Amino acid sequence: MRGVVGARGRSYLQRLWRTRTTTSTGTRSISTGDEHGGDEVLQSSKVKIFDRNLKRRQRDRAAWLMRTKDSLVDTVADNLLDRLEDCKKTFPTALCLGGSLEAIRRLLRGRGAIEKLIMMDTSYDMVKLCKDAEQDVADKNIETSFLVGDEEFLPIKESSLDLVISCLGLHWTNDLPGAMIQSRLALKPDGLFLAAILGGETLKELRIACTVAQMEREGGISPRLSPLAQVRDAGNLLTRAGFNLPGVDVDEYTVRYNSALELIEHLRAMGETNALLQRNIMLKRETALATAAIYESMFASEDGTIPATFQVIYMTGWKEHHSQQKAKRRGSATISFNDIQKQFTGGSSG
């Protein structure tokens, strides 16, 4: 671990994180900075959309509510890891950032030929959950380290990793391009960045039902669901972060629930509930009941279940290396499209 976590990162962590042990309850919690104003340390991003401290607490809660095996999370993690099988290259040193840490570790199964794995999350409870689950994983030949840290302030030495994986975590960062740039800097030349984030079509049914209910009951709307990246933005994010050979593809998953309440419980167990800074803390009971009723009336199937859409954007990018394919210089072509057309049309140009 000392060879990967830089000196600046270690001093940052020592300054940022202070671990408190409560003897009476046997639990441990993480606080930030000093006693006064310390919560502002993690909020230094210029653009503040999400409350990172609230998101950390939500992930603490999710560590206790998380299902043993979540079919949605497992499917996304497995699809993300499948991309390692398409690479002939091996990745001896890897970092797994936030999101579905436990699912990534459990489903890794030797893919990528990883020898050293760092698992990092802002939540101490989530990191502890992954550490406790380490004894049950199949491939025990991976040297695994555990780190409490923030994706927005990556405490990793530059050019020290072969692979960075983030499964359903980066969409909660205030500065997504900045977090991706830090990931690229942490990679060695020809290192791989793999990420899965929720896209803008996620929970579209809940967004509609919540908007209609608020208009009916409150005469206006307030943000109840977090804004998410659109598919068209993903390629630009990779390019802006400086990755070569960017690749983006999208999957949509439809999960069926018995009620809107069951959906909300699942979101809490995933750590995916609202963390907007500009949010209305209180939700009126009549608005919540109206949202559930409208959801059911608009989207329920004949069997009484309701659907929820999860759009997942998969992103792939490589750190620059001389061996990678490069576009030819403009004007360097040796054959024209007219010649190609003649070749395939038998010489006729009509």
Side-chain angles (χ1 to χ4, degrees):
M1 173 67 74
R2 182 170 292 273
V4 176
V5 179
R8 183 180 64 176
R10 289 194 298 273
S11 63
Y12 166 79
L13 286 176
Q14 292 170 358
R15 182 177 71 255
L16 181 63
W17 300 101
R18 177 169 57 81
T19 305
R20 297 182 301 181
T21 304
T22 306
T23 306
S24 59
T25 60
T27 61
R28 303 179 71 189
S29 61
I30 301 294
S31 64
T32 54
D34 50 24
E35 290 294 329
H36 302 286
D39 284 345
E40 292 299 317
V41 177
L42 288 180
Q43 299 289 352
S44 62
S45 175
K46 292 182 180 179
V47 181
K48 296 181 181 179
I49 301 174
F50 303 114
D51 186 337
R52 294 290 292 171
N53 295 307
L54 173 61
K55 179 50 59 181
R56 172 171 53 83
R57 294 195 296 271
Q58 289 175 349
R59 288 192 61 76
D60 282 338
R61 178 181 63 187
W64 295 95
L65 298 177
M66 185 176 294
R67 301 175 181 180
T68 305
K69 291 184 179 180
D70 188 313
S71 59
L72 172 64
V73 172
D74 285 3
T75 300
V76 174
D78 205 33
N79 287 344
L80 185 64
L81 291 172
D82 274 345
R83 286 151 176 79
L84 295 178
E85 297 183 357
D86 298 330
C87 303
K88 295 181 180 179
K89 179 181 172 65
T90 60
F91 305 95
T93 306
L95 169 68
C96 186
L97 284 176
S100 308
L101 289 172
E102 188 273 336
I104 288 290
R105 180 65 183 96
R106 173 166 42 84
L107 299 172
L108 195 55
R109 295 195 291 263
R111 286 180 280 196
I114 296 172
E115 299 173 3
K116 295 182 180 180
L117 176 64
I118 303 170
M119 304 186 72
M120 192 187 90
D121 200 286
T122 58
S123 163
Y124 172 84
D125 289 345
M126 192 65 71
V127 171
K128 185 177 184 300
L129 172 71
C130 295
K131 189 173 183 178
D132 293 343
E134 182 69 15
Q135 59 186 357
D136 299 325
V137 297
D139 47 348
K140 299 182 181 297
N141 56 337
I142 298 178
E143 180 184 335
T144 308
S145 304
F146 301 89
L147 177 65
V148 177
D150 195 323
E151 299 96 330
E152 294 186 353
F153 305 93
L154 203 59
I156 302 295
K157 183 180 178 181
E158 291 187 14
S159 301
S160 60
L161 302 171
D162 300 290
L163 172 67
V164 173
I165 305 177
S166 177
C167 183
L168 301 180
L170 284 178
H171 52 269
W172 289 111
T173 55
N174 284 307
D175 183 10
L176 181 53
M180 293 171 64
I181 289 172
Q182 291 185 63
S183 296
R184 177 179 59 82
L185 293 175
L187 286 169
K188 299 175 184 177
D190 205 30
L192 176 61
F193 171 78
L194 277 180
I197 62 174
L198 293 178
E201 293 297 306
T202 298
L203 299 177
K204 57 185 179 183
E205 301 89 353
L206 181 59
R207 293 176 190 271
I208 293 172
C210 192
T211 299
V212 174
Q214 284 186 306
M215 290 295 294
E216 287 184 355
R217 302 293 174 169
E218 302 177 16
I221 59 175
S222 60
R224 288 292 176 187
L225 282 84
S226 303
L228 297 168
Q230 300 296 322
V231 177
R232 62 179 178 271
D233 301 324
N236 293 333
L237 285 169
L238 287 165
T239 304
R240 181 178 173 185
F243 287 107
N244 284 2
L245 308 175
V248 176
D249 56 295
V250 184
D251 279 337
E252 281 196 2
Y253 307 94
T254 301
V255 183
R256 309 202 71 85
Y257 300 90
N258 292 321
S259 65
L261 178 59
E262 186 180 16
L263 166 60
I264 299 303
E265 290 176 349
H266 187 201
L267 294 176
R268 285 177 177 170
M270 292 172 64
E272 294 291 340
T273 45
N274 188 7
L276 286 171
L277 277 171
Q278 302 297 326
R279 67 189 183 281
N280 189 347
I281 298 177
M282 297 298 297
L283 175 61
K284 295 181 179 179
R285 184 174 182 272
E286 56 268 26
T287 303
L289 293 175
T291 299
I294 292 169
Y295 200 136
E296 182 176 350
S297 65
M298 293 183 68
F299 301 106
S301 302
E302 293 181 358
D303 60 0
T305 60
I306 58 171
T309 300
F310 292 86
Q311 183 186 57
V312 180
I313 303 174
Y314 297 95
M315 298 186 292
T316 306
W318 297 82
K319 189 169 182 178
E320 184 178 2
H321 189 262
H322 63 83
S323 66
Q324 294 169 355
Q325 298 174 347
K326 295 180 177 63
K328 293 292 186 180
R329 178 175 54 84
R330 185 180 179 86
S332 62
T334 58
I335 187 171
S336 70
F337 281 107
N338 286 334
D339 294 336
I340 296 175
Q341 183 183 11
K342 290 177 182 179
Q343 182 178 354
F344 283 96
T345 58
S348 61
S349 58

mmCIF file with all atom_site columns, all heavy atoms in Angstrom, residues 153-175:
data_model
loop_
_atom_site.group_PDB
_atom_site.id
_atom_site.type_symbol
_atom_site.label_atom_id
_atom_site.label_alt_id
_atom_site.label_comp_id
_atom_site.label_asym_id
_atom_site.label_entity_id
_atom_site.label_seq_id
_atom_site.pdbx_PDB_ins_code
_atom_site.Cartn_x
_atom_site.Cartn_y
_atom_site.Cartn_z
_atom_site.occupancy
_atom_site.B_iso_or_equiv
_atom_site.pdbx_formal_charge
_atom_site.auth_seq_id
_atom_site.auth_comp_id
_atom_site.auth_asym_id
_atom_site.auth_atom_id
_atom_site.pdbx_PDB_model_num
ATOM 1   N N   . PHE A 1 153 ? -10.839 13.633 -4.104  1.00 0.00 ? 153 PHE A N   1
ATOM 2   C CA  . PHE A 1 153 ? -9.481  13.934 -3.629  1.00 0.00 ? 153 PHE A CA  1
ATOM 3   C C   . PHE A 1 153 ? -8.711  12.618 -3.567  1.00 0.00 ? 153 PHE A C   1
ATOM 4   O O   . PHE A 1 153 ? -8.417  12.106 -2.487  1.00 0.00 ? 153 PHE A O   1
ATOM 5   C CB  . PHE A 1 153 ? -9.515  14.602 -2.250  1.00 0.00 ? 153 PHE A CB  1
ATOM 6   C CG  . PHE A 1 153 ? -10.373 15.834 -2.195  1.00 0.00 ? 153 PHE A CG  1
ATOM 7   C CD1 . PHE A 1 153 ? -11.703 15.749 -1.814  1.00 0.00 ? 153 PHE A CD1 1
ATOM 8   C CD2 . PHE A 1 153 ? -9.865  17.073 -2.545  1.00 0.00 ? 153 PHE A CD2 1
ATOM 9   C CE1 . PHE A 1 153 ? -12.507 16.870 -1.762  1.00 0.00 ? 153 PHE A CE1 1
ATOM 10  C CE2 . PHE A 1 153 ? -10.656 18.205 -2.498  1.00 0.00 ? 153 PHE A CE2 1
ATOM 11  C CZ  . PHE A 1 153 ? -11.986 18.109 -2.111  1.00 0.00 ? 153 PHE A CZ  1
ATOM 12  N N   . LEU A 1 154 ? -8.377  12.072 -4.699  1.00 0.00 ? 154 LEU A N   1
ATOM 13  C CA  . LEU A 1 154 ? -7.820  10.728 -4.776  1.00 0.00 ? 154 LEU A CA  1
ATOM 14  C C   . LEU A 1 154 ? -6.437  10.675 -4.129  1.00 0.00 ? 154 LEU A C   1
ATOM 15  O O   . LEU A 1 154 ? -5.488  11.289 -4.620  1.00 0.00 ? 154 LEU A O   1
ATOM 16  C CB  . LEU A 1 154 ? -7.727  10.299 -6.243  1.00 0.00 ? 154 LEU A CB  1
ATOM 17  C CG  . LEU A 1 154 ? -7.701  8.802  -6.534  1.00 0.00 ? 154 LEU A CG  1
ATOM 18  C CD1 . LEU A 1 154 ? -8.957  8.132  -5.994  1.00 0.00 ? 154 LEU A CD1 1
ATOM 19  C CD2 . LEU A 1 154 ? -7.576  8.557  -8.025  1.00 0.00 ? 154 LEU A CD2 1
ATOM 20  N N   . PRO A 1 155 ? -6.279  9.944  -3.025  1.00 0.00 ? 155 PRO A N   1
ATOM 21  C CA  . PRO A 1 155 ? -4.992  9.901  -2.305  1.00 0.00 ? 155 PRO A CA  1
ATOM 22  C C   . PRO A 1 155 ? -4.077  8.800  -2.833  1.00 0.00 ? 155 PRO A C   1
ATOM 23  O O   . PRO A 1 155 ? -3.572  7.973  -2.081  1.00 0.00 ? 155 PRO A O   1
ATOM 24  C CB  . PRO A 1 155 ? -5.433  9.618  -0.866  1.00 0.00 ? 155 PRO A CB  1
ATOM 25  C CG  . PRO A 1 155 ? -6.643  8.750  -1.029  1.00 0.00 ? 155 PRO A CG  1
ATOM 26  C CD  . PRO A 1 155 ? -7.324  9.193  -2.291  1.00 0.00 ? 155 PRO A CD  1
ATOM 27  N N   . ILE A 1 156 ? -3.888  8.783  -4.132  1.00 0.00 ? 156 ILE A N   1
ATOM 28  C CA  . ILE A 1 156 ? -3.103  7.737  -4.769  1.00 0.00 ? 156 ILE A CA  1
ATOM 29  C C   . ILE A 1 156 ? -1.922  8.356  -5.517  1.00 0.00 ? 156 ILE A C   1
ATOM 30  O O   . ILE A 1 156 ? -2.065  9.393  -6.175  1.00 0.00 ? 156 ILE A O   1
ATOM 31  C CB  . ILE A 1 156 ? -3.971  6.920  -5.759  1.00 0.00 ? 156 ILE A CB  1
ATOM 32  C CG1 . ILE A 1 156 ? -5.174  6.304  -5.035  1.00 0.00 ? 156 ILE A CG1 1
ATOM 33  C CG2 . ILE A 1 156 ? -3.146  5.837  -6.442  1.00 0.00 ? 156 ILE A CG2 1
ATOM 34  C CD1 . ILE A 1 156 ? -4.817  5.274  -3.990  1.00 0.00 ? 156 ILE A CD1 1
ATOM 35  N N   . LYS A 1 157 ? -0.776  7.711  -5.435  1.00 0.00 ? 157 LYS A N   1
ATOM 36  C CA  . LYS A 1 157 ? 0.423   8.191  -6.120  1.00 0.00 ? 157 LYS A CA  1
ATOM 37  C C   . LYS A 1 157 ? 0.229   8.159  -7.621  1.00 0.00 ? 157 LYS A C   1
ATOM 38  O O   . LYS A 1 157 ? -0.382  7.243  -8.172  1.00 0.00 ? 157 LYS A O   1
ATOM 39  C CB  . LYS A 1 157 ? 1.614   7.315  -5.713  1.00 0.00 ? 157 LYS A CB  1
ATOM 40  C CG  . LYS A 1 157 ? 2.949   7.747  -6.291  1.00 0.00 ? 157 LYS A CG  1
ATOM 41  C CD  . LYS A 1 157 ? 4.039   6.807  -5.811  1.00 0.00 ? 157 LYS A CD  1
ATOM 42  C CE  . LYS A 1 157 ? 5.390   7.185  -6.417  1.00 0.00 ? 157 LYS A CE  1
ATOM 43  N NZ  . LYS A 1 157 ? 6.459   6.253  -5.963  1.00 0.00 ? 157 LYS A NZ  1
ATOM 44  N N   . GLU A 1 158 ? 0.758   9.161  -8.310  1.00 0.00 ? 158 GLU A N   1
ATOM 45  C CA  . GLU A 1 158 ? 0.642   9.217  -9.766  1.00 0.00 ? 158 GLU A CA  1
ATOM 46  C C   . GLU A 1 158 ? 1.392   8.059  -10.428 1.00 0.00 ? 158 GLU A C   1
ATOM 47  O O   . GLU A 1 158 ? 2.428   7.616  -9.950  1.00 0.00 ? 158 GLU A O   1
ATOM 48  C CB  . GLU A 1 158 ? 1.178   10.552 -10.290 1.00 0.00 ? 158 GLU A CB  1
ATOM 49  C CG  . GLU A 1 158 ? 0.316   11.753 -9.922  1.00 0.00 ? 158 GLU A CG  1
ATOM 50  C CD  . GLU A 1 158 ? 0.774   13.022 -10.594 1.00 0.00 ? 158 GLU A CD  1
ATOM 51  O OE1 . GLU A 1 158 ? 1.587   12.939 -11.548 1.00 0.00 ? 158 GLU A OE1 1
ATOM 52  O OE2 . GLU A 1 158 ? 0.321   14.115 -10.188 1.00 0.00 ? 158 GLU A OE2 1
ATOM 53  N N   . SER A 1 159 ? 0.817   7.599  -11.534 1.00 0.00 ? 159 SER A N   1
ATOM 54  C CA  . SER A 1 159 ? 1.420   6.539  -12.357 1.00 0.00 ? 159 SER A CA  1
ATOM 55  C C   . SER A 1 159 ? 1.755   5.293  -11.531 1.00 0.00 ? 159 SER A C   1
ATOM 56  O O   . SER A 1 159 ? 2.829   4.709  -11.679 1.00 0.00 ? 159 SER A O   1
ATOM 57  C CB  . SER A 1 159 ? 2.677   7.064  -13.060 1.00 0.00 ? 159 SER A CB  1
ATOM 58  O OG  . SER A 1 159 ? 2.385   8.170  -13.876 1.00 0.00 ? 159 SER A OG  1
ATOM 59  N N   . SER A 1 160 ? 0.825   4.884  -10.682 1.00 0.00 ? 160 SER A N   1
ATOM 60  C CA  . SER A 1 160 ? 1.076   3.732  -9.810  1.00 0.00 ? 160 SER A CA  1
ATOM 61  C C   . SER A 1 160 ? 0.108   2.578  -10.045 1.00 0.00 ? 160 SER A C   1
ATOM 62  O O   . SER A 1 160 ? 0.292   1.502  -9.479  1.00 0.00 ? 160 SER A O   1
ATOM 63  C CB  . SER A 1 160 ? 0.985   4.156  -8.337  1.00 0.00 ? 160 SER A CB  1
ATOM 64  O OG  . SER A 1 160 ? -0.304  4.665  -8.039  1.00 0.00 ? 160 SER A OG  1
ATOM 65  N N   . LEU A 1 161 ? -0.914  2.773  -10.884 1.00 0.00 ? 161 LEU A N   1
ATOM 66  C CA  . LEU A 1 161 ? -1.950  1.765  -11.074 1.00 0.00 ? 161 LEU A CA  1
ATOM 67  C C   . LEU A 1 161 ? -2.024  1.319  -12.529 1.00 0.00 ? 161 LEU A C   1
ATOM 68  O O   . LEU A 1 161 ? -1.740  2.084  -13.447 1.00 0.00 ? 161 LEU A O   1
ATOM 69  C CB  . LEU A 1 161 ? -3.317  2.328  -10.655 1.00 0.00 ? 161 LEU A CB  1
ATOM 70  C CG  . LEU A 1 161 ? -3.469  2.829  -9.216  1.00 0.00 ? 161 LEU A CG  1
ATOM 71  C CD1 . LEU A 1 161 ? -4.797  3.544  -9.056  1.00 0.00 ? 161 LEU A CD1 1
ATOM 72  C CD2 . LEU A 1 161 ? -3.356  1.676  -8.229  1.00 0.00 ? 161 LEU A CD2 1
ATOM 73  N N   . ASP A 1 162 ? -2.442  0.077  -12.717 1.00 0.00 ? 162 ASP A N   1
ATOM 74  C CA  . ASP A 1 162 ? -2.680  -0.439 -14.062 1.00 0.00 ? 162 ASP A CA  1
ATOM 75  C C   . ASP A 1 162 ? -4.159  -0.368 -14.439 1.00 0.00 ? 162 ASP A C   1
ATOM 76  O O   . ASP A 1 162 ? -4.496  -0.385 -15.616 1.00 0.00 ? 162 ASP A O   1
ATOM 77  C CB  . ASP A 1 162 ? -2.222  -1.905 -14.155 1.00 0.00 ? 162 ASP A CB  1
ATOM 78  C CG  . ASP A 1 162 ? -0.748  -2.066 -13.842 1.00 0.00 ? 162 ASP A CG  1
ATOM 79  O OD1 . ASP A 1 162 ? 0.080   -1.628 -14.659 1.00 0.00 ? 162 ASP A OD1 1
ATOM 80  O OD2 . ASP A 1 162 ? -0.433  -2.627 -12.768 1.00 0.00 ? 162 ASP A OD2 1
ATOM 81  N N   . LEU A 1 163 ? -5.011  -0.277 -13.428 1.00 0.00 ? 163 LEU A N   1
ATOM 82  C CA  . LEU A 1 163 ? -6.454  -0.320 -13.676 1.00 0.00 ? 163 LEU A CA  1
ATOM 83  C C   . LEU A 1 163 ? -7.190  0.459  -12.593 1.00 0.00 ? 163 LEU A C   1
ATOM 84  O O   . LEU A 1 163 ? -6.867  0.353  -11.414 1.00 0.00 ? 163 LEU A O   1
ATOM 85  C CB  . LEU A 1 163 ? -6.928  -1.782 -13.680 1.00 0.00 ? 163 LEU A CB  1
ATOM 86  C CG  . LEU A 1 163 ? -8.428  -2.053 -13.733 1.00 0.00 ? 163 LEU A CG  1
ATOM 87  C CD1 . LEU A 1 163 ? -9.016  -1.623 -15.067 1.00 0.00 ? 163 LEU A CD1 1
ATOM 88  C CD2 . LEU A 1 163 ? -8.705  -3.546 -13.487 1.00 0.00 ? 163 LEU A CD2 1
ATOM 89  N N   . VAL A 1 164 ? -8.176  1.250  -13.019 1.00 0.00 ? 164 VAL A N   1
ATOM 90  C CA  . VAL A 1 164 ? -9.095  1.915  -12.097 1.00 0.00 ? 164 VAL A CA  1
ATOM 91  C C   . VAL A 1 164 ? -10.507 1.501  -12.478 1.00 0.00 ? 164 VAL A C   1
ATOM 92  O O   . VAL A 1 164 ? -10.917 1.653  -13.636 1.00 0.00 ? 164 VAL A O   1
ATOM 93  C CB  . VAL A 1 164 ? -8.961  3.450  -12.150 1.00 0.00 ? 164 VAL A CB  1
ATOM 94  C CG1 . VAL A 1 164 ? -10.050 4.102  -11.301 1.00 0.00 ? 164 VAL A CG1 1
ATOM 95  C CG2 . VAL A 1 164 ? -7.591  3.898  -11.650 1.00 0.00 ? 164 VAL A CG2 1
ATOM 96  N N   . ILE A 1 165 ? -11.241 0.955  -11.507 1.00 0.00 ? 165 ILE A N   1
ATOM 97  C CA  . ILE A 1 165 ? -12.623 0.521  -11.730 1.00 0.00 ? 165 ILE A CA  1
ATOM 98  C C   . ILE A 1 165 ? -13.549 1.306  -10.801 1.00 0.00 ? 165 ILE A C   1
ATOM 99  O O   . ILE A 1 165 ? -13.271 1.455  -9.607  1.00 0.00 ? 165 ILE A O   1
ATOM 100 C CB  . ILE A 1 165 ? -12.805 -0.984 -11.433 1.00 0.00 ? 165 ILE A CB  1
ATOM 101 C CG1 . ILE A 1 165 ? -11.830 -1.836 -12.236 1.00 0.00 ? 165 ILE A CG1 1
ATOM 102 C CG2 . ILE A 1 165 ? -14.229 -1.419 -11.739 1.00 0.00 ? 165 ILE A CG2 1
ATOM 103 C CD1 . ILE A 1 165 ? -11.924 -3.322 -11.916 1.00 0.00 ? 165 ILE A CD1 1
ATOM 104 N N   . SER A 1 166 ? -14.639 1.796  -11.360 1.00 0.00 ? 166 SER A N   1
ATOM 105 C CA  . SER A 1 166 ? -15.674 2.416  -10.539 1.00 0.00 ? 166 SER A CA  1
ATOM 106 C C   . SER A 1 166 ? -17.021 1.935  -11.029 1.00 0.00 ? 166 SER A C   1
ATOM 107 O O   . SER A 1 166 ? -17.392 2.165  -12.183 1.00 0.00 ? 166 SER A O   1
ATOM 108 C CB  . SER A 1 166 ? -15.603 3.947  -10.617 1.00 0.00 ? 166 SER A CB  1
ATOM 109 O OG  . SER A 1 166 ? -16.662 4.525  -9.871  1.00 0.00 ? 166 SER A OG  1
ATOM 110 N N   . CYS A 1 167 ? -17.747 1.249  -10.172 1.00 0.00 ? 167 CYS A N   1
ATOM 111 C CA  . CYS A 1 167 ? -19.048 0.695  -10.541 1.00 0.00 ? 167 CYS A CA  1
ATOM 112 C C   . CYS A 1 167 ? -20.153 1.382  -9.739  1.00 0.00 ? 167 CYS A C   1
ATOM 113 O O   . CYS A 1 167 ? -20.257 1.184  -8.519  1.00 0.00 ? 167 CYS A O   1
ATOM 114 C CB  . CYS A 1 167 ? -19.064 -0.819 -10.294 1.00 0.00 ? 167 CYS A CB  1
ATOM 115 S SG  . CYS A 1 167 ? -20.601 -1.640 -10.787 1.00 0.00 ? 167 CYS A SG  1
ATOM 116 N N   . LEU A 1 168 ? -20.924 2.231  -10.406 1.00 0.00 ? 168 LEU A N   1
ATOM 117 C CA  . LEU A 1 168 ? -22.072 2.917  -9.804  1.00 0.00 ? 168 LEU A CA  1
ATOM 118 C C   . LEU A 1 168 ? -21.666 3.793  -8.622  1.00 0.00 ? 168 LEU A C   1
ATOM 119 O O   . LEU A 1 168 ? -22.287 3.741  -7.558  1.00 0.00 ? 168 LEU A O   1
ATOM 120 C CB  . LEU A 1 168 ? -23.142 1.898  -9.382  1.00 0.00 ? 168 LEU A CB  1
ATOM 121 C CG  . LEU A 1 168 ? -23.707 1.019  -10.498 1.00 0.00 ? 168 LEU A CG  1
ATOM 122 C CD1 . LEU A 1 168 ? -24.756 0.063  -9.925  1.00 0.00 ? 168 LEU A CD1 1
ATOM 123 C CD2 . LEU A 1 168 ? -24.301 1.852  -11.605 1.00 0.00 ? 168 LEU A CD2 1
ATOM 124 N N   . GLY A 1 169 ? -20.631 4.594  -8.825  1.00 0.00 ? 169 GLY A N   1
ATOM 125 C CA  . GLY A 1 169 ? -20.203 5.480  -7.751  1.00 0.00 ? 169 GLY A CA  1
ATOM 126 C C   . GLY A 1 169 ? -19.899 6.900  -8.196  1.00 0.00 ? 169 GLY A C   1
ATOM 127 O O   . GLY A 1 169 ? -20.207 7.860  -7.493  1.00 0.00 ? 169 GLY A O   1
ATOM 128 N N   . LEU A 1 170 ? -19.316 7.067  -9.363  1.00 0.00 ? 170 LEU A N   1
ATOM 129 C CA  . LEU A 1 170 ? -18.817 8.382  -9.778  1.00 0.00 ? 170 LEU A CA  1
ATOM 130 C C   . LEU A 1 170 ? -19.920 9.389  -10.093 1.00 0.00 ? 170 LEU A C   1
ATOM 131 O O   . LEU A 1 170 ? -19.652 10.593 -10.139 1.00 0.00 ? 170 LEU A O   1
ATOM 132 C CB  . LEU A 1 170 ? -17.891 8.241  -10.991 1.00 0.00 ? 170 LEU A CB  1
ATOM 133 C CG  . LEU A 1 170 ? -16.485 7.711  -10.708 1.00 0.00 ? 170 LEU A CG  1
ATOM 134 C CD1 . LEU A 1 170 ? -15.692 7.584  -12.004 1.00 0.00 ? 170 LEU A CD1 1
ATOM 135 C CD2 . LEU A 1 170 ? -15.748 8.610  -9.729  1.00 0.00 ? 170 LEU A CD2 1
ATOM 136 N N   . HIS A 1 171 ? -21.142 8.940  -10.323 1.00 0.00 ? 171 HIS A N   1
ATOM 137 C CA  . HIS A 1 171 ? -22.201 9.898  -10.642 1.00 0.00 ? 171 HIS A CA  1
ATOM 138 C C   . HIS A 1 171 ? -22.597 10.752 -9.442  1.00 0.00 ? 171 HIS A C   1
ATOM 139 O O   . HIS A 1 171 ? -23.407 11.679 -9.582  1.00 0.00 ? 171 HIS A O   1
ATOM 140 C CB  . HIS A 1 171 ? -23.436 9.179  -11.221 1.00 0.00 ? 171 HIS A CB  1
ATOM 141 C CG  . HIS A 1 171 ? -23.932 8.059  -10.384 1.00 0.00 ? 171 HIS A CG  1
ATOM 142 N ND1 . HIS A 1 171 ? -23.508 6.758  -10.551 1.00 0.00 ? 171 HIS A ND1 1
ATOM 143 C CD2 . HIS A 1 171 ? -24.828 8.019  -9.355  1.00 0.00 ? 171 HIS A CD2 1
ATOM 144 C CE1 . HIS A 1 171 ? -24.129 5.973  -9.690  1.00 0.00 ? 171 HIS A CE1 1
ATOM 145 N NE2 . HIS A 1 171 ? -24.921 6.714  -8.949  1.00 0.00 ? 171 HIS A NE2 1
ATOM 146 N N   . TRP A 1 172 ? -22.035 10.457 -8.262  1.00 0.00 ? 172 TRP A N   1
ATOM 147 C CA  . TRP A 1 172 ? -22.314 11.276 -7.077  1.00 0.00 ? 172 TRP A CA  1
ATOM 148 C C   . TRP A 1 172 ? -21.220 12.303 -6.803  1.00 0.00 ? 172 TRP A C   1
ATOM 149 O O   . TRP A 1 172 ? -21.259 12.978 -5.776  1.00 0.00 ? 172 TRP A O   1
ATOM 150 C CB  . TRP A 1 172 ? -22.502 10.380 -5.849  1.00 0.00 ? 172 TRP A CB  1
ATOM 151 C CG  . TRP A 1 172 ? -23.773 9.598  -5.873  1.00 0.00 ? 172 TRP A CG  1
ATOM 152 C CD1 . TRP A 1 172 ? -23.915 8.246  -6.019  1.00 0.00 ? 172 TRP A CD1 1
ATOM 153 C CD2 . TRP A 1 172 ? -25.106 10.113 -5.752  1.00 0.00 ? 172 TRP A CD2 1
ATOM 154 N NE1 . TRP A 1 172 ? -25.241 7.887  -5.997  1.00 0.00 ? 172 TRP A NE1 1
ATOM 155 C CE2 . TRP A 1 172 ? -25.996 9.019  -5.838  1.00 0.00 ? 172 TRP A CE2 1
ATOM 156 C CE3 . TRP A 1 172 ? -25.622 11.401 -5.585  1.00 0.00 ? 172 TRP A CE3 1
ATOM 157 C CZ2 . TRP A 1 172 ? -27.374 9.174  -5.752  1.00 0.00 ? 172 TRP A CZ2 1
ATOM 158 C CZ3 . TRP A 1 172 ? -27.003 11.548 -5.515  1.00 0.00 ? 172 TRP A CZ3 1
ATOM 159 C CH2 . TRP A 1 172 ? -27.860 10.442 -5.586  1.00 0.00 ? 172 TRP A CH2 1
ATOM 160 N N   . THR A 1 173 ? -20.227 12.425 -7.667  1.00 0.00 ? 173 THR A N   1
ATOM 161 C CA  . THR A 1 173 ? -19.166 13.402 -7.453  1.00 0.00 ? 173 THR A CA  1
ATOM 162 C C   . THR A 1 173 ? -19.597 14.770 -7.965  1.00 0.00 ? 173 THR A C   1
ATOM 163 O O   . THR A 1 173 ? -20.292 14.878 -8.979  1.00 0.00 ? 173 THR A O   1
ATOM 164 C CB  . THR A 1 173 ? -17.864 12.988 -8.170  1.00 0.00 ? 173 THR A CB  1
ATOM 165 O OG1 . THR A 1 173 ? -18.140 12.776 -9.561  1.00 0.00 ? 173 THR A OG1 1
ATOM 166 C CG2 . THR A 1 173 ? -17.306 11.700 -7.576  1.00 0.00 ? 173 THR A CG2 1
ATOM 167 N N   . ASN A 1 174 ? -19.176 15.816 -7.274  1.00 0.00 ? 174 ASN A N   1
ATOM 168 C CA  . ASN A 1 174 ? -19.496 17.171 -7.703  1.00 0.00 ? 174 ASN A CA  1
ATOM 169 C C   . ASN A 1 174 ? -18.720 17.558 -8.960  1.00 0.00 ? 174 ASN A C   1
ATOM 170 O O   . ASN A 1 174 ? -19.207 18.334 -9.772  1.00 0.00 ? 174 ASN A O   1
ATOM 171 C CB  . ASN A 1 174 ? -19.184 18.167 -6.583  1.00 0.00 ? 174 ASN A CB  1
ATOM 172 C CG  . ASN A 1 174 ? -20.231 18.147 -5.489  1.00 0.00 ? 174 ASN A CG  1
ATOM 173 O OD1 . ASN A 1 174 ? -21.420 18.287 -5.752  1.00 0.00 ? 174 ASN A OD1 1
ATOM 174 N ND2 . ASN A 1 174 ? -19.800 17.965 -4.252  1.00 0.00 ? 174 ASN A ND2 1
ATOM 175 N N   . ASP A 1 175 ? -17.519 17.043 -9.098  1.00 0.00 ? 175 ASP A N   1
ATOM 176 C CA  . ASP A 1 175 ? -16.676 17.350 -10.248 1.00 0.00 ? 175 ASP A CA  1
ATOM 177 C C   . ASP A 1 175 ? -16.286 16.048 -10.926 1.00 0.00 ? 175 ASP A C   1
ATOM 178 O O   . ASP A 1 175 ? -15.207 15.519 -10.704 1.00 0.00 ? 175 ASP A O   1
ATOM 179 C CB  . ASP A 1 175 ? -15.434 18.131 -9.786  1.00 0.00 ? 175 ASP A CB  1
ATOM 180 C CG  . ASP A 1 175 ? -14.552 18.554 -10.955 1.00 0.00 ? 175 ASP A CG  1
ATOM 181 O OD1 . ASP A 1 175 ? -14.984 18.411 -12.115 1.00 0.00 ? 175 ASP A OD1 1
ATOM 182 O OD2 . ASP A 1 175 ? -13.425 19.026 -10.706 1.00 0.00 ? 175 ASP A OD2 1
#
